Structures are given as structure tokens and as C-alpha cells.
Amino acid sequence: QSALTQPASVSGSPGQSITISCTGTSSDVGSYNLVSWYQQHPGKAPKLMIYEGSKRPSGVSNRFSGSKSGNTASLTISGLQAEDEADYYCCSYAGIVVFGGGTKLTVL
Amino acid sequence: QVQLVQSGAEVKKPGASVKVSCKASGYTFTSYYMHWVRQAPGQGLEWMGIINPSGGSTSYAQKFQGRVTMTRDTSTSTVYMELSSLRSEDTAVYYCARILGYCSGGSCYGAFDIWGQGTMVTVSS
């Protein structure tokens, strides 16, 4: 199973919106609505931000949203804040666990 | 509150084994499958395997078959991950993570909602 494809880096200014893509195949991202997204700050454990494609766990800001089109899932962060600067990973977990390579978000 | 607390950092020589623990609290231990995920320095997340804390059944990523063993102790709500024949490429932070989802027909589906703080394992001669 190949890793999901994410851009290595994205950036945005405070207050702006950014979108991180996560491309898989018809066997993983395209087949199920089971993509999750994780935020990881340096030296910290990953934190679940989005699950089942678009659901937010309790306590996660509504500035974070998820969507999917075909074999590509997306994470959108609106109203960028300095604390959003982190690495973001997508994951497809439908029988088999496949992670994306990660995207470094820089808030300018 | 729900939390997973892992054992401390380890330094091992090539060829040795390491056993990392993950103690669960704040929820019914046997109701949620547990995963192990590792992250090499500067790299992404890599799934290692899953254990059912209720019955003890396991499933491992092909890459680790024959080298990894996951066990649990229901009396202490603790899962363990043992990795043998260590090599330098096994230097990484090892995380336990609880499943948010369901398992059916031998497969599981979902996400990872609670993570341990991570355990750094360094393999060096």
C-alpha cells in the first residue's frame, strides 16, 4: 500500500485560509469516507483534528474542516492563527492504515 | 480523563530488543483496540500494528512481521510493544494510539483519537 500524497509545505498569513490536499486511490481515499487528519507540533504527539472525512472531535475549532472529492481529501483551515503552524498528516483507515507523508504549515 | 501514558526513553544496541508499555486510564480498556505507530526523526508516521485488548488478537504491518510482538495485561490496563533484532533504522518515537471506530470481520475502520506521549527508542552501538 503506497502512502497518501500530500504537499510538502503550505503557507499562509494570519487570517487567511489554506487547504491541504491528500491524494490516494480508489482503494483507500476514494472508497470510504474514512480519512482523518492529525496536527503535530514539534516534539508532541499527533492530535486528531478531523475524522470520517469531515467530523470534528469535541474541542477542535470549527476553523478546521474536511472534505473529499474522488480520490482526494482536503483539510481547510480558515482564519489562520500562529498556533496553527505545525505538521499535518492525513490518514486513510479502512481495514488498512495508510498515512500521508505530512505537510508543514507555515504561518507567515 | 482519558489518557495513555507510555514508558520512558530507551537506548539499545543493534540486535537487542525493546519493550515499550502504554497504560490506559479513564475508559474501559477492553472496549477499544489499540495501535502502535512510529515516527523516525524528521520523518512521517508509520503504522506498525494493532491489538485487541479484550481477546489479545493482533495484526501487524507486513514490514514488522516476525520482529514485533504486541501484548496486553488487562489487570493493569496496559498494552506492550516489543521489537526485536533492532537496527539503527528503528531509531524513532513510538506511539500507542486508541482507535475511534469499529472492527468487523477481522478488519477495523476509523481513526486514532487518543495518543500516548511517545517513547523515544534510540538504537546505537
Side-chain angles (χ1 to χ4, degrees), chain A residues 32 34-36 38 40 43-48 50-52 57 87 89 91-102, chain B residues 33 35 37 39 42-47 50 95 99-103 106-118:
Chain A
Y32 305 90
L34 289 171
V35 172
S36 50
Y38 303 87
Q40 187 179 35
K44 299 295 187 182
K47 175 186 176 183
L48 178 64
I50 296 288
Y51 67 101
E52 292 181 11
D87 293 327
Y89 293 90
C91 176
S92 172
Y93 183 14
I96 297 173
V97 179
V98 185
F99 284 104
Chain B
Y33 284 60
H35 295 257
V37 176
Q39 185 173 36
Q43 302 301 309
L45 302 170
E46 181 175 33
W47 182 74
I50 181 175
Y95 295 101
I99 188 174
L100 169 64
Y102 66 95
C103 297
S107 293
C108 294
Y109 306 80
F112 311 107
D113 65 340
I114 305 296
W115 295 67
Q117 83 276 19

